[in-house]
Amino acid sequence: MNALLIDFGSTYTKLRAVTLDPLNIVASGQGPSTISTDVTEGMHAALNDLGTRMGALPKFDHRLACSSAAGGLRMVTVGLVRELTAEAARQAALGAGARLVGAFSQRLTAGDVADIQRLSPDIVLLAGGTDGGNSEVILHNAKALASARLICPVIVAGNRAAADDARAAMEAKGKTIVVTDNVMPEFGELNTEPARGAIRQVFIERIVHAKGIDRAAQLFDEVLMPTPTAVLEGARLLSEGYGSEPGLGPLMVVDVGGATTDVHSVASGEPNQAGVIRRGLPEPYMKRTVEGDLGMRHNARGILAEAGAKSIGAIAGIEPARVEAMVERIASDAVHLPADKEERALDFALGHAAVRISARRHAGTIETVYIVNGPVTVQRGKDLSGIGTIIGTGGVLAHADATANILRAALADEKEPLSLRPRQSRLLLDANYLLYAVGLLASVAPEEAVRLGKAHLEDVEEERGHGRNTISGG
Amino acid sequence: MERPSKPRRRTLVTGVIGVDTHIVGNRILSMALEKAGYKVVPLGALTPAEEFIKAAIETAADGVMVSSLYGQGELDCRGFRELCIEAGLDDILLYVGGNLVVGKQPWPDVEKRFLDMGFDRAFPPGTRTAEVIEKLDADFADRDSDHTSASR
C-alpha cells in the first residue's frame, strides 16, 4: 500500500510519497503554489517533480491533502468576557488550525462589525455565555452579524439556551449557520473539541471549494484539514503513539516560519510540584499558539522589535545598526535564503530569538504570592517543565548549521525563572517537513504514521559527533 | 426547604477574595447552597475582585458570595459594588462574610462599613449556612415581588 500526502502551502505545493509495507518515504516533490490562478498548475509541477525523482508516478492508494493556501483558514472569533468565552473561542479556532485575523469580546459595536466586514473571514466563531448564563450579549452579537455584509458561515458555540434564537436571527438574514456545543458550558470548563470539529467540517465542505482548491479534485481524494491541524494531529499521534507503537510522551513542536512562529504542545500542563494553586482558564491538552509578529522574513522586523537589535547583534556577532539594515532587506524578500556567513549568522540569531520568545509566550508562568501564613505558588497557563521532547520544524531550522542551539532557546532559562518551559528535553528536528504528512497519514494508517514520524525525526544533539541520527536508530 | 418554583435556577458565584487561601468555609457554604437548589459557580481561593465580576457576567449570576478570612477583607472589598456597576451588573445581590477585619471590633460597626460599601448583607464569623440561605431566599423573594409589582 502507498500514499501521497499533499500540502497546498502558501508558497509551495509539497508532496510526500510513502509506502506502508515496507514503511518508507519514497520521495518528495515540490511545485509553486498557484492558488491565485489555478491550483492544478502547481500540483502538476509538484507531481512532475515527484515523478522525476521516483522514475515514474505509481498509482496511489491514498491521496490526502491539507491546505494553508490562499491565506489559510482565516477566522474571526467573538465571545463575551475577553479572558473567558472569548479566550475559549480563540483557543478553539487556533486548535482547529485557523489563522486568527480578529478576536472580539463583549457587545459588537458598529465599528467592530465594520472591522469584521473588512477582514472578510472564511468563518466566524460566535461564543458567549455559559450554558444557562448570559444570553443577551450573544443574541446582540448574532443580530449584529446577521445585518453585516458577510457571506461566510457563522459557527455558534455559545450559551445553549440562546443558540436557537441566535441561529434564527442570522438565518433570517440569509446567513449560513452551524450550531455546536458551547466552548465553555460551565464556568471555567474548556470544551473546544465540538467547535474544532465543526470548523473542520465547514473547512472540508465549503472552504476548500471557496478557495478553489477543489479545481485539482481529480488529483487527490480529499482535503482533510488545514495544514496547522495536520501538524498538530501529527504531534498528538507522535506523543501518544498508536496500537503497538509507543509514543514519545508529552512534547512540544516549534515551527519557525517566514511569517509566523507556531508552538504546539501536547501535554496536560498540570503543575509538576505539589501544593501549586492554578488560576485562570484551564488549558487545552493540545494547545497551539501562533505568534503573528515573529517570522523569519515577513515578520523579521517583529522579532527585532521584541528582542532588540543589540541582543540579536550579540548572538549573531554583527553590529546592531548593521542588523537593522539587514533585517530591512530580508523582510521584503520572502524567499530569501542566506547567501553568506553573515546572513547565516543573522538567521541563526533571528531563529534563536523567535524560538525563545514564542516558547515563553506559549508556556505558563508561576509566581509566588505571600499570604499570612507564608508563600504560596500560583500557576497560570501550562506547566511544560517536565516535557521530554521538543521537535523543531520550519525552513530556518532545516537549513541552519546549529539547529540544536536554536532549539535549545525553547528550554527553561535561569534568567526567566518564572517561565514554565521544558527543563531538559530531547531536541528533534523535522528536517523532511514530515509532521503534516504524519498527521494526514494518521487518518488511514495511524500506527504506520507514528513509526514513520519516529523513524525520520533527527536527534540534533548527536549531529556533531556521529552525523545526524534518527531517533529509532539507537 | 421550600424553594420558589422559578423556571430558572438562581446562579451564585462564590469565592475567597484577595491573597487568601482559607477555602474550607467557602467550600462548605458552596455545598450548602447547591443543596438548597442554587447553581453555584465556585471560584475557590485567591480570587481577585475582577474575577468574581467576570464570572458573574458569563454565567448571568444573580448574586455573588464573597468570603474573606484573613483580616484584609475591608481592603479587598473596597470598590466591589462600583466594579459591578461598571460591568453592567447594577442589581446583582452581594453578600460578604468571614473574618472581615483584624482585631476585636464590634460587629455592628463592621457590618455597617460593608453595607456602606454596597454589600446587601454582611455575616460575622460563625454564621450557620442555614441562616445565609434563609436570607438569600428572602432577598430573592423580595426582588421577585418588587419586579411583579413594578410590572403591573
Side-chain angles (χ1 to χ4, degrees), chain B residues 144-152:
Chain B
D144 286 345
S145 62
D146 282 357
H147 283 273
T148 326
S149 50
S151 63
R152 267 185 203 138

Side-chain angles (χ1 to χ4, degrees), chain A residues 81 83 85 129 186 279 369, chain B residues 19 21 39 43 45 51 54 58:
Chain A
V81 174
E83 298 86 348
T85 50
E186 293 285 330
R279 296 294 320 172
V369 176
Chain B
V19 277
T21 53
K39 177 167 174 54
L43 304 185
E51 279 185 29
K54 284 168 188 165
E58 288 283 7

Side-chain angles (χ1 to χ4, degrees), chain A residues 141-327:
Chain A
N141 290 343
K143 284 173 194 149
L145 291 170
S147 315
R149 286 190 310 280
L150 276 179
I151 47 164
C152 73
V154 178
I155 297 175
V156 179
N159 185 355
R160 247 168 67 89
D164 288 341
D165 289 347
R167 176 209 285 269
M170 291 186 285
E171 280 183 345
K173 295 285 176 75
K175 300 288 189 283
T176 304
I177 306 302
V178 176
V179 174
T180 186
D181 292 349
N182 197 345
V183 287
M184 188 181 280
E186 293 285 330
F187 175 83
E189 185 189 315
L190 199 63
N191 178 45
T192 51
E193 282 306 309
R196 283 185 65 208
I199 293 166
R200 188 160 156 193
Q201 206 58 39
V202 170
F203 175 81
I204 292 169
E205 287 168 5
R206 300 180 53 103
I207 311 298
V208 169
H209 171 72
K211 303 248 179 198
I213 300 163
D214 59 350
R215 293 179 71 165
Q218 70 283 6
L219 301 173
F220 59 78
D221 302 334
E222 247 186 313
V223 178
L224 294 170
M225 53 190 106
T227 305
T229 313
V231 173
L232 190 55
E233 284 299 324
R236 182 180 61 84
L237 200 69
L238 278 170
S239 168
E240 294 174 353
Y242 193 93
S244 62
E245 191 62 35
L248 303 172
L251 57 78
M252 194 166 150
V253 176
V254 187
D255 182 351
V256 188
T260 64
T261 300
D262 287 23
V263 180
H264 310 248
S265 61
V266 184
S268 78
E270 291 298 320
N272 265 322
Q273 346 164 9
V276 172
I277 297 173
R278 282 196 70 165
R279 296 294 320 172
L281 202 61
E283 295 279 325
Y285 161 70
M286 289 162 70
K287 178 169 178 160
R288 169 171 175 252
T289 47
V290 178
E291 305 308 336
D293 62 333
L294 307 175
M296 293 298 294
R297 294 293 175 263
H298 303 91
N299 290 308
R301 289 190 194 96
I303 301 178
L304 194 61
E306 178 80 18
K310 235 170 140 182
S311 145
I312 299 286
I315 295 173
I318 305 172
E319 285 297 310
R322 173 110 183 105
V323 167
E324 282 174 20
M326 289 175 77
V327 163

Side-chain angles (χ1 to χ4, degrees), chain B residues 5 12 19 27 30 39 47-48 53 62-63 66 69 79-80 89 91 97 105 110 112-114 119 128 130-131 139-140:
Chain B
S5 56
L12 298 171
V19 277
R27 209 168 268 164
S30 298
K39 177 167 174 54
T47 303
I53 315 285
D62 303 283
V66 179
L69 284 303
F80 200 98
L89 304 170
D91 297 329
Q105 304 183 31
V110 177
K112 182 172 183 306
R113 238 176 288 156
F114 279 86
F119 285 90
R128 315 290 302 173
E131 188 191 335
D139 285 352
F140 282 131

